[in-house]
Amino acid sequence: MDLHIRRATKPDISILAAILDCSWLASCPNFLPGECVRHWVEDGRARRQAEAIQPRSLLVENGAGEPLGFISVRGGLLEMLWVVPQAWGRGIGSTLLGQAEDLIRGRGHRRGQLMTYRDNTRALAFYQAKGWRPIKEFVEIAPGGVLLPVLRLEKDLYGAEAAAPRAGSSPSTSLSAASKQRATVPPSACAPRVR
C-alpha cells in the first residue's frame, strides 16, 4: 500500500479535526480525566485547533487517499503529531516524526522541540526511543481546574542520535519502499474523507 504525505489545505480542516477527536478519545482517557477529553470533543476544540494549524500541517494518506495522521511544525517546534488509532503500530508515527525532524532541520534549527503530557507514557516512550529527551516540566490547567503535567522534549537534530537528512525528502514525495511495506493500514473509519 502506498502512503503519501502532502500539505493540508483548507478543505482538510475537517479531516484534521476528525483525526484529533478520534485520537483524543482513543488515547487521552489513559492519562487524562475523562471529563477533560469529553469537554474538548464537545466544545469543538479540535475544529479550532485544526483551523489554527492547517497552514503548517502535513497530512499522510494511504494510496486510496484515506487520511491516517498528520503533523504540524512551526519553526523548530513539532506542535502536533497524531495518527488515527487504526494505524497505530504501523510505522506511520515514525515516518511523520522523521518528516517533522527533516522540516525543522531544513529550516535551520539544530534542535527540535515538542511537548507531551508527562503521563502519556505511550507517546513519551515513542519520542524517547527516537532520541528526544525531556528538558523541562510545567503544568497546564485543563477544564474544571485539573492540573496536567506537561513535558518539553528536545532533540539535537545533528547529534549522534539524529538520522542524516533523507535525500529527496519533501512533503509531496511518496514514502520509501520500506515504509510502504510497514504501513499496511485498513481504511480509516475514524477520519472520514471530506473534500
Side-chain angles (χ1 to χ4, degrees):
M1 173 186 306
D2 285 340
L3 290 180
H4 303 280
I5 297 177
R6 65 173 178 83
R7 296 219 176 272
T9 62
K10 284 193 179 191
D12 294 322
I13 289 172
S14 294
I15 292 171
L16 298 175
I19 291 170
L20 283 170
D21 274 342
C22 72
S23 297
W24 289 342
L25 289 169
S27 65
C28 293
N30 295 325
F31 59 91
L32 295 177
E35 65 269 14
C36 289
V37 180
R38 280 191 303 279
H39 179 77
W40 289 346
V41 171
E42 291 168 3
D43 84 347
R45 179 179 178 171
R47 177 77 186 191
R48 289 190 306 278
Q49 285 190 345
E51 289 170 351
I53 65 163
Q54 172 268 313
R56 303 181 292 280
S57 297
L58 299 178
L59 189 64
V60 64
E61 300 173 328
N62 65 17
E66 294 167 317
L68 302 173
F70 72 90
I71 55 171
S72 175
V73 176
R74 181 179 53 185
L77 176 68
L78 172 56
E79 293 180 295
M80 292 190 184
L81 186 160
W82 290 99
V83 175
V84 295
Q86 298 89 332
W88 290 355
R90 306 293 176 101
I92 293 168
S94 295
T95 298
L96 285 170
L97 184 59
Q99 184 71 49
E101 291 175 3
D102 287 348
L103 285 171
I104 293 167
R105 190 182 301 108
R107 293 174 180 170
H109 297 276
R110 179 174 182 85
R111 296 185 176 281
Q113 293 191 353
L114 63 85
M115 289 175 279
T116 191
Y117 291 109
R118 182 192 67 200
D119 297 331
N120 186 352
T121 55
R122 185 168 197 248
L124 189 56
F126 168 73
Y127 291 126
Q128 288 181 311
K130 302 295 184 187
W132 292 78
R133 301 291 172 246
I135 59 167
K136 183 177 181 179
E137 183 171 326
F138 59 95
V139 175
E140 178 182 297
I141 302 174
V146 177
L147 302 178
L148 303 173
V150 177
L151 292 174
R152 180 179 293 272
L153 284 75
E154 186 174 85
K155 180 176 180 179
D156 179 352
L157 299 175
Y158 291 95
E161 78 276 4
R166 291 183 284 282
S169 177
S170 74
S172 62
T173 60
S174 293
L175 304 179
S176 69
S179 295
K180 290 176 189 177
Q181 290 175 347
R182 279 196 319 256
T184 38
V185 179
S188 169
C190 177
R193 185 175 181 147
V194 179
R195 297 257 186 237

